[in-house]
Every structure is written in C-alpha cells, then in structure tokens.
Amino acid sequence: MLIVIALVVGAALAFAFLAWTRAQLEAGRRLYAIGLAVTALLYLLFALIGRAAGRSLGVEALGLALYGGAAWLGFRKSLTLLAVGWAMHPVWDVVLHLQYPGAAYTPDWYPWGCISFDLMVAGAVFVSGTAAARPDGAPNSVLAPPR
C-alpha cells in the first residue's frame, strides 16, 4: 500500500511541478534542468544524513555528476536530452535505492514517488521538446539532423 501511495504522491507532485513550469518555455527548460539535478542531489543528501559509507557517497556523487551533466547539456542543447535524463533517473532509483546499499539510507517511500514523478516529467519534457525549437532555432531532438 505504501508503494501505491508513494506513486500517487509522486504523480501529484509532478502535476504541480509541470503546471509551475508551463509559464514559458525558457523558464520551464531551466526549471526542468534544475529539477533533474536536484533529484540526484537529494540522494546524496540522504546518504550524508544516513552516514553512508564512503563508497556510497562516491556513487551518489557520481549520480549527481551524471544527472547534473545531463541537466546542463539538456538545458543548453536539447530538451530531448533533458527528457532522456529524467527518463533514466528511475533506473538510478530502482537499481541503487530499492534493494542495494542505497536502501539503507533512503526512505522506503522515496524511490517509488521519484519513479512516478520522473517518468511524468520526462514525458512532459519530451513533448515540449518535440513541439518547440531551441532558443537558437535548431531542432530540440538530439536525433534530428542539424540545420
């Protein structure tokens, strides 16, 4: 039951986040990027608060670097890349925080809420990335050929 509640809360928070970011594309792009970096930062904070071992802190710092890099590149280059970062974050949630060492310092409900939140935001970012051009006029999709 806790899993279902966490998934529903994550989805509700995603709706609120998406409503907030819809104001204008550039502000939304910035908020999507910041949000992706923050999702990784929260796991590092959980590890610090939970006094995780150095290896776990290193893994969480690596996650922050990976998702922070995807956020920066997505903001600068492609909403599609930003959507991919959001879509891949649930893999981090599941692999490291539901059963492996990360489960020791991550609240039980958090990865589940994060999964539904991340996937909903990924979908919204992807849709907005395919519907609008980047600020420099180039296509948003990393798969689209350059002009």
Side-chain angles (χ1 to χ4, degrees):
M1 184 65 167
L2 177 65
I3 293 170
V4 173
I5 292 170
L7 288 168
V8 169
V9 169
L13 289 173
F15 275 119
F17 179 69
L18 293 170
W20 182 47
T21 58
R22 245 186 116 149
Q24 60 170 302
L25 179 62
E26 194 58 32
R29 177 187 290 249
R30 184 174 291 112
L31 292 171
Y32 293 145
I34 291 168
L36 180 57
V38 167
T39 60
L41 177 61
L42 287 173
Y43 282 116
L44 181 58
L45 292 175
F46 288 146
L48 288 167
I49 291 167
R51 296 190 166 114
R55 182 176 177 173
S56 291
L57 289 172
V59 168
E60 297 299 352
L62 174 64
L64 179 57
L66 289 172
Y67 290 102
W72 184 80
L73 286 172
F75 174 72
R76 302 288 294 161
K77 302 287 184 192
S78 167
L79 277 173
T80 301
L81 182 58
L82 193 53
V84 168
W86 277 103
M88 292 306 298
H89 193 257
V91 174
W92 194 261
D93 300 324
V94 170
V95 171
L96 294 175
H97 301 102
L98 287 180
Q99 53 188 308
Y100 291 104
Y105 53 80
T106 303
D108 293 341
W109 57 270
Y110 187 80
W112 293 107
C114 200
I115 290 167
S116 61
F117 184 96
D118 294 349
L119 291 176
M120 288 184 65
V121 173
V125 173
F126 181 76
V127 167
S128 68
T130 57
R134 291 189 343 223
D136 64 0
N140 269 321
S141 175
V142 292
L143 302 175
R147 290 185 191 184

